[in-house]
Amino acid sequence: MKARRGFLLAAVAVIIVILAAGVYYRYNPAASFLFPRCPLKALTGLSCPGCGIQRAFHAVLNGRFAEALSYNYFFILSLPYAAAIIIAWVLKGMGRAQRTVLFLEHEYGIYTYMALFTVWFVVRNILHI
């Protein structure tokens, strides 16, 4: 019963990701009113660590990796880690890969990722990238 519930949750998550990817593939966030703008950039003029991720995601889905890289370097570097976490969650939902999830979600890994994200915030605003 528990494995079936986990599989169902994983299936719903995969469907949501596929639908969201379809929307981002079809619509350019830079030219559509559907997507929110960064409130930090609007208020302060500073680029948050996530600025450009929506446009980069759109570019990646359309096969334009160099363009995606120009929008947000950190996003492109984060894609393998995010893909590994998503795959591990799906496998965990199917009753597999608990050790992999524990490794990917270990507190040291998360703290390292948060520290890199913060460094990216500072670097991108100093270098204006």
Side-chain angles (χ1 to χ4, degrees), residues 28-104:
N28 183 354
S32 178
F33 68 91
L34 296 173
F35 304 95
R37 304 292 181 240
C38 178
L40 181 69
K41 184 137 184 142
L43 291 173
T44 67
L46 295 173
S47 294
C48 78
C51 278
I53 285 179
Q54 294 183 97
R55 292 172 289 155
F57 190 53
H58 172 75
V60 164
L61 290 173
N62 286 280
R64 299 187 311 264
F65 295 99
E67 181 183 336
L69 191 61
S70 73
Y71 288 131
N72 191 313
Y73 291 108
F74 197 78
F75 172 70
I76 300 303
L77 296 174
S78 299
L79 284 176
Y81 182 67
I85 287 177
I86 291 168
I87 291 167
W89 281 347
V90 169
L91 291 175
K92 182 181 176 187
M94 294 169 36
R96 300 184 175 112
Q98 274 81 2
R99 294 178 83 193
T100 305
V101 172
L102 290 175
F103 174 75
L104 291 170

